[in-house]
Amino acid sequence: MKIALDAVGGDHSPAPCIEGALQAVKELDVEVILVGDETTLKQECSRLGCTDSRLSIRHASQVVEMHESPATVARKKRDSSIWVATELVKSGEASAVVSPGNTGASMVASFFVLGLTKGVERPAIATSLPTLTGTAIMLDVGANVDCTAQHLAQFAIMGNEYGKYLFGKPNPRVGLLSIGEEDSKGNEVTKEAFKLLKTSPLNFIGNIEGRDVYSGSADVVVCDGFIGNVALKISEGVADTIKKLLVKEISGSFFGRLAYPLIAKPLRNLKKRIDYAEF
């Protein structure tokens, strides 16, 4: 399998991208096409001592910066690394595209170059979340601020397929994020989406509240991009706060410092578990 990697997108690129690509080809036995300015990528590969033949380079003269409008990629930057990487998927030279860069630009490139799957009106951004029982997927978390009930139903179908094939769950439990578990709770869009999902062939478990997202009661959490993005950013803030509070409590007392060697490993595991950068 070949993966097209936008190697010059995102923060501190291209070094972390090349290092990650090298790790991927060694651990997963895949091939990676590094997309970006050829001279820059060759110099960085040389500096890192990267000689693995499973890494190749495809030149792209432009880069979509993080602060740029997503529409820029379609109007002015069709030789950008993300656009060229996406075209490699369309041509069949790569099986998938990965970018650590401008999320909106990635969505726009996918929309215009690859198009939408039949029956899908809006693409959605999905994220995996750690739960008490494993992992859940939440979508949408930012692509669509305003959604119809039909859009939410489509997100549920996409999330169901994701959970089925990537998480290995034969019949994922789908929950609709709302302000109450009762059928009548929510705004007009969520109420209508509830009706659509209830009559769908999905394993729909009904409405779930924000506190249920991490409990593991649902494998797929469906919401619009506004709510999803707010929930995601609050979760990131809570995770950071928990880590800082733990450090403060442990370092702030004699017994905490004394006990730290005994609890260091569990704490490291917890840090990795709740660190959103890990997933």
Side-chain angles (χ1 to χ4, degrees):
M1 176 183 285
K2 285 188 178 181
I3 309 296
L5 173 62
D6 171 13
V8 293
D11 300 325
H12 314 299
S13 295
C17 294
I18 296 173
E19 292 170 352
L22 187 60
Q23 185 177 348
V25 298
K26 290 179 178 178
E27 293 184 9
L28 306 175
D29 194 25
V30 296
E31 296 180 53
V32 178
I33 305 172
L34 303 172
V35 183
D37 180 74
E38 186 174 9
T39 301
T40 301
L41 292 178
K42 283 184 176 180
Q43 290 175 346
E44 196 62 31
C45 284
S46 177
R47 187 184 72 82
L48 294 171
C50 182
T51 58
D52 197 300
S53 61
R54 290 170 293 183
L55 288 181
S56 59
I57 295 173
R58 182 63 58 90
H59 179 68
S61 63
Q62 298 174 304
V63 179
V64 179
E65 303 293 345
M66 297 296 285
H67 65 273
E68 291 187 271
S69 166
T72 300
V73 68
R75 292 200 313 265
K76 301 177 181 178
K77 292 195 171 183
R78 295 205 173 194
D79 197 42
S80 62
S81 52
I82 182 56
W83 190 279
V84 173
T86 307
E87 285 185 326
L88 291 176
V89 176
K90 184 176 183 179
S91 67
E93 294 182 67
S95 301
V97 56
V98 175
S99 174
N102 188 309
T103 304
S106 300
M107 296 287 287
V108 168
S110 298
F111 182 88
F112 283 101
V113 176
L114 302 177
L116 295 174
T117 301
K118 184 179 179 181
V120 176
E121 298 173 10
R122 297 273 188 91
I125 298 176
T127 188
S128 58
L129 302 172
T131 71
L132 293 176
T133 58
T135 309
I137 177 176
M138 177 186 281
L139 71 171
D140 179 25
V141 293
N144 307 282
V145 174
D146 297 306
C147 295
T148 66
Q150 190 63 44
H151 294 153
L152 295 180
Q154 292 171 6
F155 297 165
I157 294 171
M158 290 189 282
N160 179 75
E161 296 305 298
Y162 192 104
K164 186 184 298 183
Y165 293 104
L166 273 78
F167 292 160
K169 298 179 179 180
N171 195 23
R173 297 162 297 168
V174 178
L176 180 64
L177 190 58
S178 188
I179 59 172
E181 296 179 353
E182 298 82 3
D183 300 9
S184 59
K185 289 294 181 71
N187 57 24
E188 293 305 314
V189 173
T190 53
K191 289 178 184 177
E192 185 61 30
F194 185 97
K195 295 176 184 177
L196 293 175
L197 292 172
K198 194 171 184 179
T199 58
S200 75
L202 301 176
N203 182 16
F204 180 54
I205 62 172
N207 289 337
I208 64 169
E209 297 184 74
R211 64 187 177 193
D212 301 318
V213 170
Y214 293 95
S215 70
S217 59
D219 302 308
V220 180
V221 179
V222 179
C223 56
D224 65 48
F226 183 90
I227 296 298
N229 193 265
V230 171
L232 183 64
K233 297 302 170 60
I234 288 177
S235 299
E236 292 174 358
V238 170
D240 280 338
T241 300
I242 289 174
K243 287 186 289 184
K244 291 174 182 176
L245 287 174
L246 280 173
V247 171
K248 185 177 180 179
E249 288 296 323
I250 292 171
S251 61
S253 71
F254 170 76
F255 291 107
R257 293 191 296 272
L258 186 66
Y260 180 74
L262 300 175
I263 61 175
K265 186 175 180 180
L267 284 177
R268 284 196 297 269
N269 291 338
L270 175 63
K271 178 181 181 297
K272 186 174 182 179
R273 182 81 173 134
I274 66 175
D275 184 2
Y276 60 87
E278 288 285 339
F279 55 84

